[in-house]
Amino acid sequence: MTPQQNTPPVVCIVGPTASGKTAAALHLARQARASGQGVELISMDSALVYRGMDIGTAKPHAEERATCPHHLLDILDPSQAYSAAQFVADARRLIDDIRRRGALPLIVGGTMLYLKALQSGLSALPQADTALRAQLDADAARLGWPALHARLAAVDAPTAARLAPNDAQRIQRALEVWLLSGRPLSAHFTPGDGAAQAIPLRILSLEPSDRGVLHARIAQRFDAMLAAGFLDEVRALRQRGDLSPALPSIRAVGYRQAWSHLDGITSATEFREQAIAATRQLAKRQLTWLRSMPQREVFDCLAPLHDALGQADLLAR
């Protein structure tokens, strides 16, 4: 039996956007601390890694971070990229470090590709190919990303099914992997080459008992972001001069729509509607991912935390 098999699974709090994952994680961390057990949070979010992107990502604020240590927040400049493979490597290192300190690692976030990589392991993916990406960009400029999405569906239906037709970054990467390796991206996340590297997880999934209530919560949260200065945050990113909508950071939901609005492409009303619609679509895709994981433990994200999570010690060793 390997050392990994001797250790308990890592608890992972997941759910669609605006489901209250951070609040739930901090609730469990306080419960554990009251019983004398330290907890450290590992963020599983592809946007929270970026510095200067706080309001639009709903990044935990200083008071929340003071509750317990948080990891993988503010580790990159928005000009940089971050991959599932990097996340798995960082998460593995942090899990070991946290356990050596005698604390419990608690993963929290909604980037489902990262969750899948943790669950199934990640076989080696080909490195980015500049010439191939340029060709795919040229094809997209001529045909449109929905056409490339259809091309992807013909060779990798599982990956295409979880991507929006205009998700340029992920469609491009999935086609690149297929063309370079001869294997669909989805095959790299199934038991096989990387299965031995999978991290045992206990998945606590926050899901809405009423999708309409979650949609209303998404709209309310976005309006709160606007009131908190989200557009000023995006203006500051634009003023740097080295960022563009081609970067993964600016393609994040909300930021992409804000960038277009500040370019004068959309009105304030159109911007708000498009950002909320995109966030709802993100939530729908996240729920689709989660429902493909029968081993998850489901909790109603619309119930009060004490009722939703119950009184059981969900972080018990």
Side-chain angles (χ1 to χ4, degrees):
M1 183 175 286
T2 66
Q4 188 182 63
Q5 291 172 318
N6 280 321
T7 58
V10 179
V11 174
C12 185
I13 296 180
V14 298
T17 186
S19 60
K21 295 182 290 294
T22 297
L26 295 178
H27 174 76
L28 294 185
R30 292 186 190 101
Q31 276 189 335
R33 188 173 61 187
S35 63
Q37 177 63 65
V39 173
E40 299 187 28
L41 270 56
I42 300 173
S43 171
M44 187 177 67
D45 189 292
S46 61
L48 293 184
V49 296
Y50 293 113
R51 294 184 289 271
M53 295 176 59
D54 303 330
I55 298 172
T57 61
K59 191 174 290 179
H61 52 66
E63 183 180 346
E64 291 172 323
R65 296 196 209 188
T67 301
C68 62
H70 286 60
H71 301 280
L72 301 187
L73 301 179
D74 299 324
I75 61 170
L76 293 179
D77 184 81
S79 62
Q80 298 173 291
Y82 193 64
S83 69
Q86 289 173 294
F87 171 76
V88 170
D90 286 341
R92 186 181 300 280
R93 170 182 54 80
L94 286 165
I95 289 166
D96 290 343
D97 289 348
I98 292 166
R99 283 175 165 163
R100 275 195 291 269
R101 289 193 285 271
L104 292 177
L106 176 57
I107 298 172
V108 55
T111 299
M112 298 303 163
L113 184 63
Y114 293 0
L115 175 61
K116 186 68 173 176
L118 285 177
Q119 263 195 313
S120 304
L122 188 65
S123 57
L125 293 174
Q127 294 293 314
D129 184 292
T130 303
L132 180 55
R133 288 193 170 188
Q135 180 59 55
L136 291 170
D137 282 337
D139 289 350
R142 180 169 51 89
L143 303 171
W145 283 107
L148 269 70
H149 182 267
R151 184 185 300 178
L152 176 63
V155 297
D156 188 355
T159 298
R162 66 175 176 78
L163 299 182
N166 285 304
D167 192 341
Q169 174 195 356
R170 292 177 178 85
I171 293 169
Q172 181 190 67
R173 179 55 176 159
L175 285 169
E176 179 184 45
V177 168
W178 160 254
L179 292 167
L180 291 174
S181 71
R183 295 175 63 201
L185 180 62
S186 56
H188 291 266
F189 293 92
T190 55
D193 297 343
Q197 301 301 317
I199 297 174
L201 300 175
R202 181 184 180 190
I203 300 174
L204 311 182
S205 183
L206 305 180
E207 300 177 25
S209 53
D210 184 333
R211 189 82 64 91
V213 176
L214 180 66
H215 287 176
R217 183 185 285 184
I218 286 170
Q220 291 164 2
R221 189 177 73 162
F222 188 72
D223 286 339
M225 289 176 177
L226 290 175
F230 176 46
L231 280 174
D232 288 337
E233 180 174 88
V234 180
R235 286 189 183 97
L237 294 170
R238 288 166 60 88
Q239 288 170 0
R240 288 178 36 156
D242 64 335
L243 304 178
S244 77
L247 291 167
S249 58
I250 307 305
R251 288 178 182 168
V253 169
Y255 288 87
R256 182 170 66 247
Q257 291 77 20
W259 202 278
S260 292
H261 171 57
L262 294 175
D263 275 340
I265 297 173
T266 57
S267 68
T269 300
E270 290 169 332
F271 154 55
R272 178 183 178 276
E273 290 175 351
Q274 290 178 5
I276 291 172
T279 308
R280 289 175 177 173
Q281 284 297 313
L282 171 61
K284 181 180 178 180
R285 293 195 299 274
Q286 290 168 317
L287 286 167
T288 298
W289 270 90
L290 290 169
R291 287 167 183 164
S292 71
M293 300 175 182
Q295 76 279 24
R296 76 196 191 285
E297 301 171 47
V298 179
F299 300 86
D300 184 5
C301 69
L302 304 181
L305 279 175
H306 284 283
D307 295 337
L309 299 177
Q311 299 305 312
D313 184 1
L314 295 175
L315 297 182
R317 289 182 182 272

